[in-house]
Amino acid sequence: MKRFKVLNNNLSYPLTVNHFEQLTKKGYPYYNHKVKKDKIKHLGICPMCNNPIQIINLYNKNTITKGRQVKTYAKHYSKAVPDLVNYSEINYKNCPLRSSVSFDSRNRHTDKSRSNEIIALMNEYPEIIKYFLQKISGINFSKRKILNILEQFKMEEGYYFNYVTKYNLPYSILYMSDNQKLYGQYIKNDNISLINAIKETSKYFQINDSNQVVSKNNDIFPSIYLYFTNFKSVKNNLPQMTMIIEESLKNTTNEVYRKIISIDIEYFWNTIQKENQT
């Protein structure tokens, strides 16, 4: 884990010596001598599950273990820390920063409060979710397309799946949206790689002056579509999924674009927190 947060602050911060010292003021309960006698532990709060975390190797940057230099990182601390935060086993098991979280199945949970929180986010922040769906994909989906994507998520009852959390929600919505047709949709101006891929790779489609996906030949009827796959955790890195765009005509399929997308599990939630502060 490379992020942390402190009391009375819902934003998360990169785990560096400077950030940790400035935000904790180098004081108790973050510099904590009570949890282990005769030794100070550096403690913080997990930005995702609000459990205590222990900062490992905050200052001893030259520590060598099994021939490798140990970098500064944080790990969950499975005990309550007085004056800091309690420990919740349920929150820990659902934490997206927990290394053993699996994204390779659609196993469901039965936590009603957790699913209600997801539903509430979708109802209260539709514009923020729309912004993230477009930013992640690099496509300015039409209003109808956005509604279709959200409807698929609801029909699948995506808020009950284990890998869907309030932190990765827009990524999960896209992943569960199945196959989305791109004909007539607009590519974002800054998505140069996708614009060039369609121009250079597509057999049947092109980008007009407005960055809209249009047909090269109106006498044939091919299709072009988008889907997300390979939603997974990656050891010592951000989770990721793969975005694929293909086109087809009759029984012939051509891959137009493929991109691995890192899942920033904090940006969305931090945006929600900032919105609540305004």
Side-chain angles (χ1 to χ4, degrees):
M1 190 186 309
K2 299 292 186 179
R3 310 281 296 195
F4 76 104
K5 71 176 185 178
V6 295
L7 288 169
N8 303 317
N9 188 340
N10 280 322
L11 299 181
S12 70
Y13 298 88
L15 180 55
T16 66
V17 173
N18 285 339
H19 277 129
F20 193 76
E21 289 182 343
Q22 291 174 21
L23 288 162
T24 65
K25 313 301 181 186
K26 299 184 71 173
Y28 180 84
Y30 308 99
Y31 285 67
N32 199 310
H33 62 277
K34 293 186 177 181
V35 296
K36 189 172 183 179
K37 291 183 179 180
D38 303 322
K39 187 174 182 179
I40 292 178
K41 282 188 179 292
H42 303 111
L43 302 170
I45 302 172
C46 175
M48 299 293 111
C49 69
N50 293 312
N51 272 313
I53 56 174
Q54 181 180 355
I55 315 303
I56 306 299
N57 200 36
L58 180 63
Y59 294 115
N60 300 323
K61 291 188 175 182
N62 295 322
T63 300
I64 304 295
T65 300
K66 295 182 180 180
R68 294 183 179 182
Q69 183 174 337
V70 180
K71 297 181 180 180
T72 301
Y73 68 98
K75 67 178 183 179
H76 287 95
Y77 188 74
S78 58
K79 297 179 182 178
V81 178
D83 302 318
L84 183 62
V85 69
N86 290 323
Y87 174 75
S88 167
E89 181 70 14
I90 293 176
N91 289 351
Y92 167 70
K93 288 182 176 179
N94 291 323
C95 182
L97 292 180
R98 178 178 164 224
S99 60
S100 59
V101 170
S102 176
F103 299 98
D104 59 1
S105 71
R106 293 194 178 187
N107 293 332
R108 297 164 66 97
H109 65 81
T110 58
D111 187 340
K112 191 70 175 179
S113 62
R114 178 179 163 185
S115 62
N116 285 343
E117 188 174 26
I118 298 293
I119 294 170
L121 282 174
M122 296 179 69
N123 291 335
E124 293 174 23
Y125 304 101
E127 289 303 313
I128 292 179
I129 290 176
K130 174 184 175 181
Y131 166 79
F132 273 88
L133 297 182
Q134 295 182 331
K135 180 177 178 60
I136 293 165
S137 65
I139 300 167
N140 284 325
F141 292 120
S142 65
K143 182 179 180 179
R144 177 177 292 183
K145 185 67 67 176
I146 291 288
L147 291 174
N148 182 56
I149 289 171
L150 295 175
E151 186 62 25
Q152 286 188 11
F153 181 82
K154 292 176 182 176
M155 289 175 65
E156 292 253 28
E157 294 187 317
Y159 32 80
Y160 280 116
F161 288 107
N162 284 335
Y163 64 74
V164 178
T165 72
K166 62 185 179 183
Y167 310 105
N168 66 25
L169 180 57
Y171 299 92
S172 297
I173 290 172
L174 284 173
Y175 178 70
M176 298 186 70
S177 65
D178 300 330
N179 180 310
Q180 296 297 323
K181 293 182 179 179
L182 286 185
Y183 180 77
Q185 301 299 306
Y186 292 85
I187 310 303
K188 292 177 73 68
N189 292 331
D190 59 356
N191 196 350
I192 305 301
S193 62
L194 178 51
I195 291 171
N196 289 337
I198 293 176
K199 288 180 177 180
E200 298 168 5
T201 309
S202 176
K203 298 177 181 178
Y204 314 115
F205 296 91
Q206 59 187 343
I207 301 293
N208 66 16
D209 293 340
S210 300
N211 284 351
Q212 185 181 28
V213 180
V214 296
S215 178
K216 287 182 178 180
N217 185 347
N218 291 328
D219 295 329
I220 59 176
F221 302 98
S223 62
I224 185 168
Y225 47 88
L226 160 75
Y227 63 94
F228 294 85
T229 187
N230 205 24
F231 192 100
K232 64 180 182 179
S233 59
V234 179
K235 187 176 182 180
N236 299 324
N237 210 334
L238 291 175
Q240 60 185 216
M241 63 184 182
T242 302
M243 171 178 165
I244 297 175
I245 294 176
E246 293 180 348
E247 60 185 2
S248 63
L249 178 63
K250 297 180 179 179
N251 295 323
T252 302
T253 300
N254 174 48
E255 183 176 297
V256 175
Y257 184 74
R258 176 182 291 258
K259 179 184 179 182
I260 294 177
I261 296 175
S262 294
I263 299 173
D264 188 337
I265 54 180
E266 295 164 335
Y267 184 27
F268 172 70
W269 187 243
N270 280 350
T271 302
I272 296 293
Q273 297 304 313
K274 290 177 181 178
E275 179 72 11
N276 290 334
Q277 294 173 3
T278 59

